Amino acid sequence: MMVFRALFKRKLNWVALPLIFVFLFMAAFAPAIVPHDPEEVNLELKLESPSSRHFLGTDHLGRDIFSRLIWGARTSLGSVFLIINLVMLLSMVVGCAAGQIGGVVDSVLMRVCEVFLTFPTFILAMFLIGVLGMGMTNVVIAIVLTHWAWYARIIRSLVLSMKNREYILAARVSGTGGLTLFLRHLAPPVLAQLVILATLDIGHMMLHVSGLSFLGMGVQPPTPEWGVMINDARQFIWSRPELIMYPGAMIFLAVLAFNIPGDTLRDSLDPVIRSEEV
């Protein structure tokens, strides 16, 4: 409850949260609200100015920009939430195993984490995509592999700080088995903290997805995605700069909208985050 009070106490969140709702609505209902097929090519309509039929005009292939922006929210946010869930699953397994089992298992898993934490995430993601090949599936795998280690260390610290608390010791003395003890008393609070921590990285991962797509390593044309749209519009930067500005503004607003409440949550979770160094 303290986290939610902090979230709604900050005035900027009253702007960010409606923006998040708009982006989620666009992503969820894109097929129903796009006025045109976002992949439909019509060279007779290429580079049209905004009109009643095409609210933001068309691109160099005659595709409706407004429809592509809306569908881009579905592609970008859908991939980010898939990445977040996979990161949470992998880090939950590794972090809980390291903290609960301890000993050699803990040492080995933490050394593996340190290897992944050594390299900048974006550079490591580019290397992994170079090994795995281009495409959205490999982008998801690469970003998951570059982000799970930090979460795993946080979860390990949470488990270590909780497993010796009095109510955990009392449950252990009463004969509660290890798996039951973990699922009933350790997993729920750890998972709750993990979900909150994951919100801090939504904007960061969105930049990763769009950046890799801009470089041609992620979503492949003609699939609408904001990074792909920026890459397509590079050749028209002087004649039609708005073609870059539209998807750029969407990325900016989406990252900003998720980062503002993320900063609030980070401030309220400073003791938890600092405990990762323990």
Side-chain angles (χ1 to χ4, degrees):
M1 291 300 294
M2 182 175 65
V3 171
F4 288 103
R5 283 198 298 268
L7 189 65
F8 288 105
K9 185 177 180 181
R10 189 177 181 185
K11 293 181 179 179
L12 282 176
N13 288 325
W14 291 96
V15 177
L17 293 175
L19 268 178
I20 291 174
F21 174 79
V22 169
F23 282 116
L24 293 178
F25 180 84
M26 289 166 56
F29 299 103
I33 62 179
V34 290
H36 302 280
D37 183 347
E39 297 184 11
E40 182 182 359
V41 175
N42 188 344
L43 295 179
E44 294 181 356
L45 301 176
K46 67 179 182 179
L47 298 177
E48 276 199 347
S49 299
S51 64
S52 58
R53 178 172 173 78
H54 301 285
F55 303 136
L56 299 178
T58 60
D59 64 7
H60 64 296
L61 295 177
R63 298 172 297 192
D64 183 66
I65 294 174
F66 182 71
S67 299
R68 289 180 65 79
L69 288 174
I70 294 176
W71 203 277
R74 185 180 183 89
T75 305
S76 297
L77 292 178
S79 59
V80 167
F81 283 113
L82 174 61
I83 291 168
I84 286 286
N85 281 289
L86 292 175
V87 167
M88 289 171 57
L89 177 61
L90 180 58
S91 60
M92 187 79 173
V93 172
V94 174
C96 289
Q100 182 72 2
I101 299 174
V104 176
V105 172
D106 181 24
S107 297
V108 171
L109 291 177
M110 288 304 100
R111 299 299 80 76
V112 173
C113 287
E114 289 170 3
V115 171
F116 281 92
L117 291 171
T118 301
F119 302 96
T121 54
F122 193 77
I123 302 299
L124 182 57
M126 291 177 63
F127 169 76
L128 291 173
I129 293 172
V131 174
L132 298 172
M134 295 185 295
M136 198 61 215
T137 300
N138 290 335
V139 165
V140 170
I141 294 172
I143 297 178
V144 169
L145 292 178
T146 57
H147 283 77
W148 69 273
W150 184 75
Y151 290 92
R153 286 179 64 87
I154 295 281
I155 294 169
R156 169 185 175 271
S157 297
L158 289 171
V159 172
L160 289 175
S161 67
M162 293 177 59
K163 72 176 187 178
N164 291 322
R165 292 184 180 178
E166 292 183 356
Y167 72 95
I168 299 292
L169 296 176
R172 186 177 290 117
V173 169
S174 67
T176 304
L179 180 60
T180 303
L181 180 69
F182 172 77
L183 294 176
R184 182 178 299 173
H185 298 291
L186 286 176
V190 170
L191 183 60
Q193 295 284 11
L194 178 60
V195 170
I196 295 173
L197 287 170
T199 63
L200 305 176
D201 250 357
I202 292 177
H204 175 68
M205 291 182 182
M206 192 178 302
L207 288 175
H208 271 47
V209 171
S210 295
L212 291 168
S213 295
F214 172 77
L215 294 174
M217 296 181 173
V219 176
Q220 299 298 305
T223 303
E225 198 276 333
W226 296 332
V228 171
M229 293 178 68
I230 293 177
N231 187 36
D232 288 343
R234 283 187 304 162
Q235 56 185 315
F236 307 103
I237 188 171
W238 301 116
S239 59
R240 295 290 302 276
E242 68 273 16
L243 296 181
I244 285 182
M245 292 172 59
Y246 292 142
M250 296 293 280
I251 295 173
F252 173 79
L253 290 174
V255 172
L256 184 66
F258 282 102
N259 278 352
I260 289 174
D263 286 341
T264 303
L265 294 175
R266 179 176 58 196
D267 292 341
S268 65
L269 287 172
D270 263 345
V272 175
I273 296 174
R274 285 197 300 269
S275 72
E276 186 269 338
E277 299 297 333
V278 176

